[in-house]
Amino acid sequence: MLLLSEVMIAHTDLESFEDLVPIVKNIAQSGSERFFQMDVKPDYGDTPENWEDRLEAAFY
């Protein structure tokens, strides 16, 4: 299971929500993870209100 907190810890160089979305998409496309849990809210200035929907769409 992919945890959002682990993605953010592994990619501390990310500066925005828009940088996070392609990372999640790439992990999903690699096929290494089947499930995705959003255990934290991304703390970026540009994190939209629908951040969960956007990350879910990027993963699935």
Side-chain angles (χ1 to χ4, degrees), residues 19-30:
D19 293 340
L20 177 62
V21 173
I23 299 294
V24 171
K25 188 171 191 165
N26 288 340
I27 294 170
Q29 290 176 342
S30 75

Side-chain angles (χ1 to χ4, degrees), residues 5-36:
S5 59
E6 292 177 354
V7 173
M8 294 173 64
I9 289 169
H11 296 85
T12 57
D13 58 326
L14 298 178
E15 296 180 4
S16 71
F17 181 82
E18 293 304 322
D19 293 340
L20 177 62
V21 173
I23 299 294
V24 171
K25 188 171 191 165
N26 288 340
I27 294 170
Q29 290 176 342
S30 75
S32 62
E33 299 290 343
R34 294 184 62 200
F35 301 102
F36 179 46

Side-chain angles (χ1 to χ4, degrees), residues 35-48:
F35 301 102
F36 179 46
Q37 182 175 357
M38 292 169 266
D39 58 334
V40 295
K41 179 182 180 182
D43 190 27
Y44 302 113
D46 67 337
T47 301

